[in-house]
Amino acid sequence: MQTTQYPVDPNHNSLQKQDLIPISFDELVANDDANLCIAPDQLTIILCTGGRKELQINFADYTLTPGSLAFIYPNSMWRPLATSSDFEAHYFSIQGTSAKEWNAFIDLDTVFSLSSYIAKHPHTQLSLDETQVMTQYLNLLKSRYEANAQAIIIRFILSAFTLELNRIFTAREKSDRSKISRQEDILWKFLTLLKQYHKEERTVNFYADKMCISPKHLSSVIKQMSHKTAHEIIADFVTMTAKRLLKTTTMSIQEISDELNFANQSFFGKFFKQNTGQSPSAYRRK
C-alpha cells in the first residue's frame, strides 16, 4: 500500500521531511489473502460503517460489523478471512514515529491507558453515538489533511481524537476492572510506578524490584500486554515529558536535563536524539 503524503504548508516552495506527516486513509490491503501478513510500521484503525468483515489479528478471529473498531499494531500478524460485498469502513494509519510526535500533545495517563486497552482489546464494538463521533473525527482529519492544513492543526485534531477514544475506553475499563488478570495488574502497577518515578529512574531493574518480581518476568509481561518492551515504554515516558517541557515551558535544556536526572546535558541530548531523531534545541524550534 502506498501512503499519500501532503505538505502541511502549501506556501513552502520546497518540501522537507519534517513538513510531512506520514498518515494515510487508504485501505489496508493484504498481499495474499491465504497467508498471514505482517503489518507495516504503522498503527492502523478500521471503523466499520456497513456490511461485515472477518479478520484474524495475531491468531485471534474478529468480526467487524457496523460500529466495530479494530486496531492493527505495527508488525502485527493479520489476514482477512471473509468480506461481504457491502462492507464499508473508514481506515486511518499513522507511522510509528509520527504516533510518538502526536503523543507529545497528550498527558501520559491517557497515552498509556489507551495503549494498554488497545493491546488487550484490538476489537471494540461502539454504540451508535460513539460511532458517529468517531466518524466525524476521521472525516475531519481526512478533510483537513487533504486541504494541506498545518501540522500543528493535524496534531491537535489527532490529540482530540485520542482523548475521545480514551473517554470511550475508560468507561469500559472501569466496568471490567473486577475481572483484571495478573498480567493486567502488573501492567497497571508498572505504569503507576513509571508516572511516579520516570524522572529519576530509567532501569527495568528498579521497577521490577519495586514490584517484587524479576526483571525478566516484568519485561515478558509488558511485551505481551502492550506490544512494547519495558525499556521502550520507559523511554517513551521520559521522551514525552521532555517534549512537553521543551514545548510548554521556558526551562533551559540544562534545566530540563537536571529535571529528568540525566548526568549532564550531553547525555540528555544523546538520549533525546536517539528517541526522536533530533536534538532538544531542534525540536524546540519546530
Side-chain angles (χ1 to χ4, degrees):
M1 178 185 71
Q2 276 200 331
T3 298
T4 305
Q5 294 180 330
Y6 300 88
V8 298
D9 186 348
N11 295 320
H12 284 180
N13 292 324
S14 61
L15 298 179
Q16 298 179 1
K17 187 174 182 179
Q18 62 266 30
D19 293 327
L20 300 172
I21 302 178
I23 62 180
S24 169
F25 302 90
D26 298 330
E27 179 181 356
L28 187 62
V29 178
N31 295 326
D32 182 351
D33 287 356
N35 297 313
L36 283 171
C37 303
I38 303 297
D41 182 24
Q42 62 187 31
L43 171 66
T44 296
I45 298 173
I46 306 171
L47 174 61
C48 176
T49 56
R52 180 186 181 93
K53 188 179 187 75
E54 295 175 20
L55 279 177
Q56 187 178 90
I57 305 173
N58 291 330
F59 303 105
D61 295 349
Y62 302 96
T63 300
L64 276 61
T65 55
S68 291
L69 194 63
F71 297 84
I72 301 179
Y73 265 102
N75 303 313
S76 296
M77 290 177 288
W78 74 282
R79 65 177 171 180
L81 300 175
T83 305
S84 67
S85 60
D86 59 344
F87 177 74
E88 294 181 351
H90 292 285
Y91 289 85
F92 170 74
S93 300
I94 181 166
Q95 289 186 7
T97 53
S98 285
K100 288 183 179 180
E101 191 77 6
W102 154 26
N103 287 344
F105 287 73
I106 311 167
D107 65 274
L108 296 174
D109 283 345
T110 298
V111 171
F112 286 98
S113 66
L114 186 59
S115 295
S116 61
Y117 181 89
I118 294 171
K120 293 178 287 182
H121 308 281
H123 172 272
T124 296
Q125 189 65 37
L126 302 179
S127 69
L128 178 59
D129 287 344
E130 291 167 345
T131 302
Q132 290 174 342
V133 169
M134 290 297 99
T135 298
Q136 289 167 355
Y137 271 108
L138 291 171
N139 284 336
L140 177 61
L141 266 172
K142 185 175 183 180
S143 66
R144 298 311 302 140
Y145 192 71
E146 293 181 345
N148 300 338
Q150 291 180 334
I152 190 71
I153 294 174
I154 300 299
R155 291 186 183 119
F156 275 115
I157 297 173
L158 280 169
S159 297
F161 175 61
T162 304
L163 290 168
E164 196 72 56
L165 278 175
N166 190 60
R167 179 190 65 79
I168 293 170
F169 294 158
T170 297
R172 285 167 169 77
E173 268 301 300
K174 287 179 179 177
S175 66
D176 292 341
R177 193 58 60 86
S178 61
K179 307 172 187 175
I180 192 167
S181 68
R182 172 60 177 158
Q183 287 83 359
E184 290 168 337
D185 185 51
I186 288 173
L187 175 63
W188 284 108
K189 285 180 179 176
F190 176 59
L191 297 179
T192 300
L193 288 169
L194 262 178
K195 181 184 176 185
Q196 183 177 356
Y197 293 109
H198 73 277
K199 290 184 180 180
E200 294 87 28
E201 299 288 345
R202 292 187 291 277
T203 67
V204 175
N205 284 2
F206 171 84
Y207 296 98
D209 287 345
K210 281 283 184 183
M211 298 169 67
C212 299
I213 59 177
S214 72
K216 183 178 180 180
H217 183 53
L218 175 59
S219 297
S220 174
V221 171
I222 296 306
K223 181 69 173 178
Q224 177 186 349
M225 297 300 295
S226 70
H227 299 280
K228 286 190 171 189
T229 67
H231 282 293
E232 287 172 335
I233 291 182
I234 293 169
D236 283 350
F237 253 88
V238 176
T239 301
M240 284 188 286
T241 297
K243 284 181 173 182
R244 188 167 294 107
L245 292 173
L246 286 165
K247 287 291 190 182
T248 63
T249 75
T250 58
M251 294 172 67
S252 69
I253 292 175
Q254 179 63 62
E255 288 172 331
I256 294 174
S257 173
D258 294 340
E259 175 77 8
L260 297 176
N261 200 32
F262 283 89
N264 53 54
Q265 185 175 328
S266 176
F267 277 110
F268 170 59
K270 288 177 182 177
F271 171 89
F272 192 86
K273 188 164 186 178
Q274 181 180 1
N275 286 279
T276 67
Q278 56 193 318
S279 67
S281 56
Y283 178 78
R284 172 168 267 176
R285 287 195 301 268
K286 264 179 50 174

